[in-house]
Amino acid sequence: MNSVAALIGIGVLVVFMLLRMPVGFAMFLAGFLGFFYVASPEAALNMLSGDIWEQFSSYGLSVIPLFVLMGSIAFHSGVTENLYRAAHKWVGHLRGGLAGTTVVASMGFAAICGSNAATAATMGTISLPQMKKYRYDPALSAASVACGGTLGVVIPPSVVLIVVAIQTEQSVGKLFVASIIPGILLGLLFLLTISILCMKNPALGPAGERASFKEKLAALPGVIETLVLFALVIGGLYLGWFTPTEAGAAGAFGALVIALLQRKLTWPGFVSAVFETLRISAMVMVLVTGAVVFGRFLTITRLPYTLADWAAALPVPPHVILAVVILIYILGGMFMDALGFLVVTIPVFFPLAIALGYHPLWFSVLLNILTTLGAVTPPVGVCAYIVSGLAPEIPLPTVFRGVLYFLPAYFICILLLILFPQIVTFR
Amino acid sequence: MNKLEKLSNWLNKTLAWVAGGALIVMMTLSVANIVLRLAHRPLGGTAEAVGWLAALTAAFALGYTQIHRGHVAIDFLVERLPRGPRAVVDTLTSFAATAFFALAAWRVASYAHRLGQLGKLSETMHISFFPFTYAVAFGFACFALVLLVDGLKSVKGVIQK
């Protein structure tokens, strides 16, 4: 009976979302109405006030605005230009070097920024005009920015990983560390993709001028601040010097100090960084709290556990069920924002994965990569839209065509994670 | 209608400035706590204060985020509808959201009232924190106001159609 109510609740949620109700609102409303029906009106009203206050004033969730602030300050203080210049000196002379530069610089920026949209927007502003100047294939140049942007949420710090960690009651620090190697691996696979493409067809990405070793060394100081900040935040978190909130605060403060010392942050830039942080944080908080309310409704119906028990008892190997889950995430990611899709589905699929014996860290990292793929696939590919917006001469279908070149890299990365889970778990 | 929209925009923009201030204080307080912990001893109750500031940061930014269409939505289906039906859908969802978040504001305010009446104190600093709970309720009320304005604008779209 309760499972039927849960399925109706999920149906109502989907209808609300398809009617363009923001995902967070839809989860709030569907969860509240479901709880109202299954438990009691009084319980639903009490749950609503208690959950809102608990989530909004949670010390654990205060990490979100601080990490977003760190990325926003870096975005508005021109850190990206230094990263791009340094990466260009080192790999710009290779065939497809500018596309490679974009990916390497995106990896660097992802190390201090937790958002794929911000990474794509930042890198695109600098690299798209350069690639146009050197007559790069529009599909390759656009896709290198869009796919490079997706590294923003794979390489820590990552807003998506923070939310996943909080929702699944895992350590933010451990999840960050677990995602470092997969993030670098994905970036390297992108570089390999560019090399193979440009080897087969040099016209796609002509080689640039070679920099001398002296010039290469001279470009490095531009990236040292970023590396120091990354080492401070992730190292401090991993070594237990900071709580995740403190790591976010130290990162934001460090980014601010670096920007001020370099005289690269103006007052309007700082205000924009703060207001951008507020918009992202409020959006994430509504999503997370909505997911908590919807999760409570699912919990009292016991649907996730019933589903997990049922799937675990199926006479098929766990990898078959995993393949179905992967397919659901790839398809879901195509239609929904990564974070929105994750918060909606985690209450159902996370207990299932654990019941099947998968490692929580491994499954979380896998989900993150799967859903970030949705940021570059049609019809709702945020990073693809950003690139097309930055370079209106590159139509959206061309961006999506370019993304096709990079899809094997995502799938190889996912396959490697499945074959060698120790990439994430270290055991 | 215009006056209501102006009031809503002014109110939510003002709240966003307060939220920005709370964010900066939250960052500074956390860093100060790290430094003091390394140098001497930590500031007592930092976690509680950071939690309350985080509540202000998020709740006071809700309306501002809605004004800037910052909440994630799936629009590929509704975008394909003709203008009239689209305005009807937007009207219904906006009013449903307005009613829900107004209810949420009222419930959080009632919760704050109960906390005040019971004289509930925080665990570390032993101070009353119900004013922050009221502030969150106020943030939700202002958010509901933005949604109401959105709904009224959609009604205008339906009528014009």
Side-chain angles (χ1 to χ4, degrees):
Chain A
M1 174 60 192
N2 275 350
S3 291
V4 175
L7 292 174
I8 293 172
I10 292 171
V12 169
L13 171 69
V14 172
V15 170
F16 282 159
M17 289 192 301
L18 289 177
L19 291 177
R20 197 156 64 170
M21 182 179 273
V23 177
F25 303 7
M27 283 192 295
F28 255 119
L29 195 51
F32 173 75
L33 293 175
F35 207 91
F36 193 95
Y37 174 74
V38 177
S40 70
E42 188 60 27
L45 290 168
N46 286 337
M47 184 250 321
L48 188 63
S49 55
D51 276 349
I52 288 177
W53 172 246
E54 270 175 34
Q55 297 302 313
F56 272 62
S57 64
S58 152
Y59 179 71
L61 283 175
S62 62
V63 61
I64 292 169
L66 293 167
F67 269 115
V68 176
L69 182 63
M70 174 181 165
S72 294
I73 290 173
F75 173 73
H76 286 278
S77 61
V79 164
T80 344
E81 286 164 30
N82 293 339
L83 287 168
Y84 190 82
R85 201 180 319 119
H88 189 202
K89 296 285 180 205
W90 284 84
V91 296
H93 62 284
L94 303 171
R95 277 183 195 161
L98 285 176
T101 300
T102 305
V103 169
V104 173
S106 297
M107 289 166 77
F109 191 66
I112 47 170
C113 174
S115 148
N116 52 16
T119 308
T122 315
M123 293 320 306
T125 316
I126 300 170
S127 62
L128 286 169
Q130 289 291 322
M131 287 192 271
K132 189 181 173 189
K133 189 172 139 191
Y134 284 92
R135 296 177 185 280
Y136 267 54
D137 175 62
L140 175 68
S141 54
S144 64
V145 175
C147 295
T150 63
L151 294 170
V153 295
V154 182
I155 295 176
S158 155
V159 173
V160 174
L161 287 176
I162 292 171
V163 172
V164 172
I166 290 166
Q167 229 187 333
T168 57
E169 296 178 351
Q170 294 182 79
S171 149
V172 173
K174 282 186 182 165
L175 195 49
F176 274 5
V177 172
S179 198
I180 292 176
I181 295 179
I184 295 172
L185 177 68
L186 188 59
L188 292 177
L189 286 168
F190 289 163
L191 291 176
L192 188 66
T193 304
I194 294 165
S195 303
I196 293 170
L197 285 171
C198 295
M199 248 189 319
K200 284 174 80 176
N201 183 2
L204 288 179
E209 291 155 24
R210 182 183 283 273
S212 67
F213 190 66
K214 203 175 160 187
E215 283 174 319
K216 284 179 182 174
L217 283 183
L220 284 181
V223 297
I224 285 173
E225 309 92 313
T226 307
L227 288 176
V228 168
L229 205 55
F230 177 75
L232 172 79
V233 170
I234 306 297
L237 197 53
Y238 188 66
L239 294 171
W241 295 348
F242 308 136
T243 63
T245 299
E246 287 174 343
F253 190 77
L256 187 61
V257 170
I258 290 170
L260 290 176
L261 289 177
Q262 291 181 339
R263 296 170 187 269
K264 286 205 169 161
L265 187 65
T266 58
W267 174 248
F270 176 69
V271 171
S272 296
V274 170
F275 276 72
E276 193 177 278
T277 303
L278 294 178
R279 282 201 300 274
I280 296 172
S281 306
M283 178 269 285
V284 174
M285 284 304 295
V286 168
L287 274 176
V288 172
T289 314
V292 168
V293 170
F294 192 71
R296 289 212 194 282
F297 159 60
L298 287 185
T299 304
I300 56 160
T301 65
R302 297 201 49 80
L303 179 78
Y305 310 105
T306 311
L307 182 71
D309 292 344
W310 172 77
L314 281 178
V316 290
H319 274 28
V320 175
I321 298 169
L322 180 72
V324 176
V325 172
I326 287 175
L327 192 65
I328 291 171
Y329 272 91
I330 290 175
L331 293 175
M334 287 168 73
F335 292 93
M336 264 183 81
D337 164 77
L339 195 56
F341 191 64
L342 275 173
V343 294
V344 170
T345 52
I346 276 182
V348 177
F349 290 114
F350 194 77
L352 171 67
I354 302 309
L356 291 173
Y358 291 110
H359 195 288
L361 285 178
W362 177 84
F363 188 67
S364 305
V365 171
L366 182 79
L367 289 192
N368 188 27
I369 295 176
L370 283 170
T371 45
T372 199
L373 175 58
V376 286
T377 49
V380 188
V382 179
C383 289
Y385 288 149
I386 288 173
V387 172
S388 189
L390 290 173
E393 71 280 6
I394 306 179
L396 203 52
T398 308
V399 184
F400 287 132
R401 183 165 57 81
V403 168
L404 282 178
Y405 298 144
F406 289 84
L407 284 187
Y410 286 100
F411 293 133
I412 291 170
C413 183
I414 290 164
L415 190 66
L416 287 173
L417 290 188
I418 294 170
L419 294 176
F420 307 105
Q422 49 276 37
I423 293 173
V424 175
T425 59
F426 302 119
R427 60 181 183 184
Chain B
M1 168 66 190
N2 270 349
K3 276 186 184 168
L4 189 66
E5 187 176 3
K6 273 185 189 161
L7 171 73
S8 163
N9 287 350
W10 174 82
L11 203 56
N12 283 287
K13 180 93 184 178
T14 308
L15 286 186
W17 276 98
V18 178
L23 173 66
I24 300 304
V25 175
M26 185 162 76
M27 176 189 75
T28 314
L29 186 63
S30 297
V31 172
N33 188 42
I34 298 170
V35 174
L36 286 172
R37 189 172 60 216
L38 293 173
H40 182 47
R41 62 172 184 188
L43 282 168
T46 304
E48 276 176 356
V50 166
W52 299 330
L53 289 166
L56 284 189
T57 302
F60 281 5
L62 288 172
Y64 175 79
T65 306
Q66 178 61 18
I67 289 170
H68 290 270
R69 295 287 174 268
H71 293 289
V72 177
I74 303 169
D75 51 13
F76 68 90
L77 198 72
V78 175
E79 280 296 313
R80 282 160 209 255
L81 294 175
R83 230 169 72 183
R86 200 165 61 202
V88 172
V89 167
D90 284 345
T91 305
L92 292 175
T93 52
S94 292
F95 283 138
T98 306
F100 177 75
F101 286 108
L103 174 76
W106 167 58
R107 291 307 299 178
V108 178
S110 304
Y111 183 61
H113 180 69
R114 211 161 56 236
L115 290 174
Q117 271 190 331
L118 293 171
K120 187 116 173 144
L121 302 177
S122 69
E123 283 175 16
T124 316
M125 289 195 279
H126 302 294
I127 56 171
S128 286
F129 58 91
F130 72 91
F132 289 100
T133 319
Y134 268 123
V136 169
F138 185 62
F140 269 85
C142 293
F143 177 36
L145 181 63
V146 179
L147 292 165
L148 176 68
V149 170
D150 285 349
L152 293 174
K153 277 194 208 163
S154 303
V155 169
K156 216 169 148 187
V158 175
I159 294 168
Q160 278 174 352
K161 173 71 192 159

